[in-house]
């Protein structure tokens, strides 16, 4: 049972996203998938003896029929072992759901904390682990749930996230696979554990664009 | 919201009830086998303990999961005069991973049971569902194949209909009217108000059985 995930994040200037896509196309060997996800972040009040609980409802707007998923990302693994791993390992549980889940969680005492719209593309492939690379602009909504009126939070900058599901038995190998893969992206961007910002990488984009997608391994 | 009444009937009269329902509802019965998992969260600050039920429909080719939250009953003089209970109710389809999700969110297993029986779904002034089932407890956690009746010889009958703040009056009236047709066999009342079995049930059942299903309206 998958109950953990390995994740790294980074940012890239929008002007270099096309180059990144070319590189990913070559590395992953699969077609990209368009991404348009309405993400609703809900929080409950503090429980007695428990930290505030946070749940994210994701609505995949790219599907013919919007598809809903509820995700709970828990605490990150800690300790000396975790420090030595270059990717974040955290507990993660997700469940498909129907659109009525929002009302359900409101009824259970959760409240809207914030919502955002992710627009971009992703690659899903297997390379030592089942890896997903997501490149998206993060948009905020001017009105509640108004996904048609969303504006970039950081114009000119997009977020890159690399994730892979894992279990208590497999996370070491999965972390290693994610880490290895990220090294191939190093010319274009730095990927690190969420919360550790390393900025953008200069220069490599021009070279990739001129190669016109000739990069292969 | 939903309108609901409940009652009990001796197992020996269930066949007669089915004949009566077949005639009244004009639809085929549906077999029912539902694994019901009742979860509770700890006390919230300022909120009553939250209770959620996960229902797994075992009759489906692929088990189908629903999460349901039953809220408070309507109160006040108006509610007192209605012979059915009106209460808030929110439900959402979900996937089997929801159980782990709720455990992660701090919910704990309170109890679980297995409902086995049949139901009729039909429209008669409102979309009504009549459920007749034996309530079984499991000898081991989640072991639905080893369930034994909680009250041998007695089955529960529940009549429910979904409603909104605008329609509950009409829905309650429809449910109440329908229940009058069942009066010879069983009493239906608001949950929590026990009225036992009906003295005339044996005679009514004998009559229904001898008619061999010819009862019509």
């Amino acid at each position: 049972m998958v109950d953990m995930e390995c994740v790294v994040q980074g940012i890239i200037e929008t002007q270099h996203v096309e180059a990144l896509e070319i590189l990913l196309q070559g590395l992953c060997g699969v077609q990209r998938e368009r991404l348009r996800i309405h993400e609703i972040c809900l929080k409950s009040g503090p429980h007695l003896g428990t930290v505030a609980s946070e749940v994210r409802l994701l609505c995949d707007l790219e599907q013919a029929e919007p598809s809903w998923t509820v995700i709970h990302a828990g605490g990150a693994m800690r300790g000396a072992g975790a420090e030595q791993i270059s990717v974040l390992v955290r507990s993660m549980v997700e469940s498909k759901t129907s659109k009525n889940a929002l009302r359900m969680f409101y009824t259970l005492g959760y409240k809207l904390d914030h919502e955002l719209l992710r627009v971009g593309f992703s690659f899903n492939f297997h390379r030592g682990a089942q890896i997903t690379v997501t490149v998206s602009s993060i948009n905020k909504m001017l009105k509640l749930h108004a996904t048609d009126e969303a504006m970039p939070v950081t114009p000119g900058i997009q977020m890159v996230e690399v994730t892979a599901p894992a279990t208590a038995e497999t996370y070491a190998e999965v972390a290693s696979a994610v880490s290895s893969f990220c090294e191939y992206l190093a010319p274009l961007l730095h990927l690190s554990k969420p919360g550790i910002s390393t900025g953008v990488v200069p220069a490599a984009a021009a070279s990739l664009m001129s190669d016109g997608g000739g990069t292969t391994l």
Side-chain angles (χ1 to χ4, degrees), chain A:
Chain A
M1 169 71 64
V2 166
D3 55 2
M4 301 168 95
E5 69 173 354
C6 296
V7 54
V8 284
Q9 288 174 353
I11 55 176
I12 188 169
E13 292 173 73
T14 301
Q15 62 176 324
H16 300 320
V17 164
E18 192 176 348
L20 176 60
E21 184 180 347
I22 293 171
L23 177 57
L24 288 169
Q25 185 73 58
L27 288 171
C28 307
V30 298
Q31 285 303 113
R32 73 168 203 173
E33 296 171 22
R34 290 199 305 174
L35 181 139
R36 189 180 172 87
I37 294 181
H38 181 194
E39 193 168 305
I40 300 168
C41 187
L42 307 169
K43 286 189 177 180
S44 74
H47 296 59
L48 285 177
T50 314
V51 298
S53 175
E54 181 176 311
V55 169
R56 282 183 291 139
L57 274 177
L58 310 182
C59 181
D60 186 346
L61 301 172
E62 270 307 313
Q63 305 291 324
E65 189 72 31
S67 162
W68 289 80
T69 304
V70 56
I71 290 183
H72 173 67
M77 176 177 289
R78 289 190 282 195
E83 291 301 321
Q84 288 161 27
I85 302 178
S86 61
V87 313
L88 183 80
V89 182
R90 64 187 175 194
S91 66
M92 197 275 293
V93 183
E94 69 174 48
S95 173
K96 296 301 290 182
T97 188
S98 61
K99 67 183 180 182
N100 217 32
L102 183 55
R103 273 198 72 223
M104 167 71 62
F105 279 101
Y106 280 161
T107 303
L108 296 180
Y110 284 81
K111 293 179 168 49
L112 179 69
D113 182 72
H114 67 273
E115 62 178 341
L116 51 82
L117 179 71
R118 294 175 186 263
V119 182
F121 58 85
S122 68
F123 288 88
N124 292 279
F125 57 99
H126 192 278
R127 193 183 179 110
Q130 192 58 41
I131 297 178
T132 298
V133 182
T134 301
V135 183
S136 62
S137 73
I138 309 297
N139 305 270
K140 62 188 174 188
M141 271 146 282
L142 302 180
K143 283 190 301 190
L144 188 68
H145 302 334
T147 55
D148 294 329
E149 301 173 51
M151 297 186 335
V153 172
T154 52
I157 292 283
Q158 297 202 14
M159 172 182 281
V160 181
E161 191 170 71
V162 181
T163 62
T167 67
E169 293 78 37
T170 69
Y171 75 84
E173 293 81 52
V174 173
S176 178
V178 170
S179 185
S180 296
F181 177 76
C182 292
E183 290 177 359
Y184 293 110
L185 306 182
L188 270 176
L189 79 163
H190 285 151
L191 291 156
S192 56
K193 296 177 182 179
I196 299 175
S197 177
T198 52
V200 296
V201 175
S207 170
L208 274 161
M209 294 302 289
S210 65
D211 284 356
T215 307
T216 51
L217 293 180

